[in-house]
Amino acid sequence: MNPDDRRYTKEHEWVKVEGDGKARIGITAYAVEELGDVVYFELPNAGESVSQAQKFGEVESVKAVSDLFAPVSGEILEVNPELSNRPEAVNEDPWEKGWLLVVRLQDDAELGGTMSAQEYSDLTST
Amino acid sequence: MNAPLKRTPLFASHEALGARLVPFAGWEMPIQYQGILAEARAVRSASGIFDVSHMGRFFLQGSAATALLEWVVTNGVSDLEPGRARYTLLCNEAGGILDDAIFYRLEENQYLLVANAANTQTIWNWLQHWTRRFGEVEMADRTNETAMIACQGPDASGFLETLLGADVAPRPFRFAQVDIGGAPVMVARTGYTGEDGFEAILDAEQAVGLWARLLGLGAVPCGLGARDVLRLEAGLPLHGNDIDTETNPVEAGLERFVRWDKDFCGAEALRRAKEEGPRRLLAGFRVDGRNIPRPGYDIQNIDGRRVGTATSGGYSPSLDTNIGLGYVDPALATPDTTLVIDIRGRSIEAQVVALPFYSRRRMKP
């Protein structure tokens, strides 16, 4: 089930607005299922910025490498420190433990271009 | 090309285990169950079972069977005793590799050849083609009426003892016709993972029973994903990736499976290739850092000049590092040479290492 406390993109990222203008970003359980065992995240550093729909990193799984696309724009405040040592945390728990970035949300209006949990579920079940 | 995918006799078992099924060489095959890395680790530390029923199983018999095989395979046939198996290559006239295979001498004039699933038709046609020249060979494709299960890992030999009872487990590259729970099974001490283990060939109807029996003994079901990880760690080439009709056994480093003292299809071209010296060699390399080299990536020397292409690559759970295979200038194929892999525009250093990457004898004294 896709939690309905966040928004989704067709590239299978989620974004959760957490107050104070912060937004947490991750990849969905569907994406993780498709990727299989994740062995490496290539992520930017705190202080850098991401732009909506632009590539911000890569995820290497045993099977393939995939680009990561930002669901919203903003300056990166935090990068999940656990992923550098235990990228498999995303396989275990993509919704909480396996988050990727926290950004300062640049423009609330960008969320309008994302999907609800229901819309995302419809997309991934077809 | 859109023929429906074939299913092995174990298809329902895979579904029941929650396997992820994917198209592979015309078959619907499990790529993974619980996860590729967990499965690969299970094979290294305990045991795993693989459905390899999609591989081609050709039975050859007749007074000319030995002569035919001797012509189509690069390894020796006549000096193989019945009850033994051998790894070999099959080459075209130009010395290009049509397939790699294991053949089993069942009787004096009777053989089983197990070919890669993707090459089943090619090899069948190839054998048929040469049969006309050698005559007196009956060929039977029993791929669909039989199943093949590979059980690999340190626990596999214990399973064999349990299953065989009074029958004696065959030693490496030997096989035996045995009885397992009333079913006749050909058990061969062969595999494609770098571990000890066995491969069982049996009637299709008996496959589910043996699969369940092995699961009951504690074998972990493993898919094609884990198989690829394990064979790469063991430095075993994959036809279609590391070897194909555009490569020959000399440059692939597989000369030990070529009998230079006999006549066989492709021998002339290969002798020439050997005499001239290979233009490139298949090398194993280990990558610094955590980006994974993948097939098709350019290999460069330290000055950034392109010197080859990666043909396989991946994360090695046994070594906890990234490894790959690729063809490079012969001068750069020596261990400890530094190479650079172009990983999507990033230049990542790699060191050439001796194959295999992983050896159970070296790792587990």
Side-chain angles (χ1 to χ4, degrees):
Chain A
M1 277 304 288
N2 301 304
D4 53 16
D5 61 354
R6 59 197 84 190
R7 306 283 299 176
Y8 297 84
T9 71
K10 63 179 189 332
E11 274 88 23
H12 310 290
E13 274 86 23
W14 54 259
V15 52
K16 184 181 175 191
V17 178
E18 296 192 325
D20 294 342
K22 290 183 190 175
R24 196 172 293 264
I25 291 170
I27 58 177
T28 67
Y30 176 87
V32 166
E33 181 68 23
E34 289 293 307
L35 287 166
D37 291 313
V38 171
V39 290
Y40 179 57
F41 279 103
E42 176 100 25
L43 296 174
N45 299 310
E48 298 177 31
S49 291
V50 298
S51 303
Q52 187 176 40
Q54 299 298 304
K55 175 183 168 179
F56 70 89
E58 291 175 355
V59 51
E60 296 259 21
S61 76
V62 171
K63 277 186 263 180
V65 59
S66 306
D67 290 337
L68 298 165
F69 295 94
V72 290
S73 307
E75 185 196 341
I76 299 168
L77 302 173
E78 285 178 68
V79 179
N80 187 345
E82 190 178 0
L83 295 182
S84 58
N85 291 322
R86 292 192 69 256
E88 63 270 27
V90 79
N91 292 100
E92 296 158 9
D93 181 5
W95 303 120
E96 300 298 334
K97 240 176 26 174
W99 61 275
L100 305 183
L101 309 174
V102 175
V103 302
R104 185 178 307 287
L105 196 54
Q106 192 177 297
D107 180 2
D108 286 359
E110 282 184 347
L111 292 167
T114 59
M115 285 178 273
S116 69
Q118 186 56 53
E119 287 165 331
Y120 181 68
S121 298
D122 292 345
L123 176 82
T124 51
S125 61
T126 50
Chain B
M1 283 309 287
N2 277 323
L5 294 172
K6 294 199 274 183
R7 294 175 169 183
T8 78
L10 292 165
F11 185 81
S13 307
H14 302 321
E15 278 196 315
L17 287 164
R20 170 180 291 237
L21 295 148
V22 299
F24 181 85
W27 295 78
E28 196 170 0
M29 296 299 293
I31 188 158
Q32 66 170 65
Y33 302 80
Q34 58 179 127
I36 292 172
L37 295 180
E39 292 163 24
R41 288 186 179 112
V43 171
R44 293 281 180 243
S45 64
S47 75
I49 43 173
F50 305 78
D51 179 7
V52 288
S53 304
H54 60 312
M55 299 187 80
R57 287 176 292 287
F58 304 146
F59 288 80
L60 287 77
Q61 66 174 349
S63 56
T66 303
L68 169 69
L69 262 190
E70 200 77 272
W71 173 251
V72 296
V73 309
T74 58
N75 212 336
V77 179
S78 312
D79 63 345
L80 184 71
E81 288 168 30
R84 295 199 187 204
R86 221 166 238 175
Y87 174 83
T88 190
L89 303 159
L90 293 90
C91 291
N92 59 23
E93 286 94 335
I97 303 172
L98 289 168
D99 199 9
D100 60 342
I102 293 183
F103 62 96
Y104 304 76
R105 192 166 198 171
L106 307 171
E107 304 284 349
E108 182 63 24
N109 288 318
Q110 201 180 333
Y111 297 87
L112 163 65
L113 181 94
V114 176
N116 278 302
N119 298 326
T120 303
Q121 196 59 49
T122 306
I123 296 304
W124 178 262
N125 294 346
W126 188 245
L127 292 170
Q128 289 282 4
H129 169 76
W130 291 109
T131 301
R132 279 178 227 124
R133 170 166 148 187
F134 289 90
E136 283 316 296
V137 183
E138 252 178 77
M139 278 174 50
D141 176 356
R142 297 208 187 120
T143 308
N144 293 331
E145 59 203 76
T146 58
M148 184 162 168
I149 298 171
C151 179
Q152 303 277 294
D155 290 352
S157 62
F159 295 167
L160 260 191
E161 279 173 34
T162 307
L163 291 171
L164 297 188
D167 284 333
V168 176
R171 288 186 286 146
F173 278 89
R174 288 173 171 80
F175 61 90
Q177 309 287 348
V178 299
D179 180 289
I180 298 178
V185 181
M186 177 177 150
V187 169
R189 201 70 169 264
T190 49
Y192 189 54
T193 60
E195 291 300 323
D196 184 20
F198 61 90
E199 294 176 298
I201 297 172
L202 69 173
D203 285 346
E205 310 82 73
Q206 308 287 347
V208 170
L210 180 60
W211 180 264
R213 190 91 190 267
L214 289 164
L215 286 178
L217 289 171
V220 171
C222 298
L224 296 178
R227 191 168 160 82
D228 189 49
V229 167
L230 294 161
R231 70 88 196 167
L232 177 58
E233 288 186 340
L236 301 169
L238 172 62
H239 195 273
N241 276 39
D242 312 302
I243 50 177
D244 56 28
T245 51
E246 300 305 310
T247 60
N248 69 50
V250 177
E251 54 195 24
L254 298 171
E255 263 192 71
R256 62 190 181 282
F257 305 110
V258 177
R259 282 291 172 84
W260 294 110
D261 58 358
K262 71 164 192 175
D263 196 23
F264 60 91
C265 185
E268 210 179 306
L270 288 178
R271 284 194 187 101
R272 219 175 312 124
K274 187 172 160 61
E275 214 175 274
E276 289 166 5
R279 288 175 293 112
R280 54 182 186 171
L281 284 175
L282 188 65
F285 55 85
R286 189 191 260 270
V287 177
D288 298 337
R290 297 177 69 182
N291 291 102
I292 299 182
R294 299 192 189 266
Y297 289 4
D298 279 356
I299 304 177
Q300 304 164 348
N301 66 8
I302 43 171
D303 302 324
R305 184 175 63 86
R306 188 171 173 278
V307 294
T309 309
T311 51
S312 280
Y315 172 69
S316 161
S318 305
L319 306 172
D320 189 26
T321 187
N322 294 315
I323 56 176
L325 294 172
Y327 285 93
V328 296
D329 285 357
L332 297 173
T334 339
D336 298 326
T337 305
T338 301
L339 299 171
V340 173
I341 316 293
D342 180 349
I343 300 188
R344 297 180 304 286
R346 271 186 293 265
S347 297
I348 309 288
E349 282 202 3
Q351 309 298 324
V352 176
V353 295
L355 295 175
F357 299 102
Y358 167 92
S359 156
R360 69 176 187 274
R361 285 178 196 88
R362 213 188 304 151
M363 309 290 167
K364 293 172 199 158

